[in-house]
Amino acid sequence: MTETDLAEGFRYLPGYLGPEAQAALVAELRALLAEAPLYRPTMPKSGRPFSVRMTNAGSHGWLSDRQGYRYAPRHPQTGRPWPAIPAVMERIWAEVADYPAGPECCLINFYAPEARMGLHRDQDEETFEAPVVSLSLGDSAVFRLGGPTRHGPTRSLKLHSGDVMILSGPARLAYHGIDRVLGGSSRLLPDGGRINLTLRRVTRPAGE
Ligand code: MD6
Ligand code: FE
């Protein structure tokens, strides 16, 4: 499969990042995670822990805790500013986003083999004119893509290491989630698991 439009505004670019660039990014992420450790967020209200662990890079880090979802300039546990977005992620955005301003958040999700992510929309940003761009690394996962309502029809596709996915235009606010991770499907991460990096513009640029 090459580029596929499962829905208008949805773009799937399999194998966008080659194996060497993936390995270089993993090495960079190791240093990034030493500066901004993965932590386990909790659901608003219930306080239930996520099964994924998270951290961020960029000026705006996405957080979830009992108070709700929001963006914050600092890591909730260390109090330090988030590290810079890796250059290769800035490059991917520049190549595929078709948007005049840069990303402000690089959310980093780590999935152990049993982790998943429920159906959700990325809707905590000031502007939905910018796309959301994601890169998958490590084990493959079953991604579910729905439409603008939570209970409409959905379809599934497998995301593999190096794949890029873009939600833009009519698909920008589509529901989506990760049903399961296929443990042992990649050797990129020595201890297994999956990383998804999601790039977002958070604030509305001047003139939009
Ligand atoms: C994941 N991805 O692949 C979860 N959101 O682990 C997302 O939630 C996501 O991949 C918006 C745009 C692209 C994504
Ligand atoms: Fe998402």
Side-chain angles (χ1 to χ4, degrees):
M1 185 159 47
T2 56
E3 183 170 344
T4 315
D5 51 340
L6 294 166
E8 199 190 339
F10 174 80
R11 290 173 70 204
Y12 171 51
L13 307 173
Y16 192 89
L17 205 63
E20 285 176 16
Q22 292 175 42
L25 178 54
V26 168
E28 195 173 343
L29 289 176
R30 231 175 274 291
L32 190 153
L33 295 181
E35 171 63 24
L38 290 167
Y39 64 95
R40 194 177 297 282
T42 52
M43 293 294 291
K45 300 195 188 98
S46 73
R48 220 174 143 237
F50 280 43
S51 63
V52 300
R53 292 186 297 151
M54 290 183 179
T55 190
N56 289 273
S59 56
H60 292 64
W62 186 85
L63 299 181
S64 176
D65 60 20
R66 279 183 181 275
Q67 276 78 58
Y69 302 142
R70 65 187 175 285
Y71 284 95
R74 290 167 184 277
H75 191 292
Q77 292 181 343
T78 68
R80 292 194 292 266
W82 305 106
I85 296 177
V88 68
M89 298 305 297
E90 295 272 4
R91 189 196 94 205
I92 291 172
W93 177 275
E95 290 169 354
V96 306
D98 190 24
Y99 187 74
E104 295 174 310
C105 173
C106 179
L107 173 64
I108 301 167
N109 290 315
F110 177 79
Y111 295 74
E114 67 282 357
R116 53 186 290 283
M117 184 170 298
L119 218 54
H120 68 276
R121 304 200 286 184
D122 292 27
Q123 58 179 2
D124 302 315
E125 299 72 39
E126 280 175 20
T127 176
F128 302 129
E129 296 295 312
V132 182
V133 175
S134 86
L135 171 72
S136 293
L137 293 173
D139 284 341
S140 303
V142 180
F143 180 83
R144 182 182 293 274
L145 177 68
T149 63
R150 179 175 285 281
H151 299 290
T154 64
R155 51 190 306 176
S156 287
L157 75 155
K158 256 182 220 170
L159 296 178
H160 305 288
S161 197
D163 293 356
V164 164
M165 214 186 54
I166 303 150
L167 295 181
S168 66
R172 172 63 180 78
L173 290 170
Y175 278 88
H176 58 276
I178 293 289
D179 288 348
R180 64 196 173 93
V181 172
L182 306 174
S185 51
S186 161
R187 291 166 64 173
L188 181 70
L189 306 175
D191 299 323
R194 171 174 185 266
I195 296 173
N196 181 263
L197 301 105
T198 302
L199 296 170
R200 302 167 178 161
R201 178 75 196 185
V202 180
T203 67
R204 196 186 294 276
E208 180 175 289

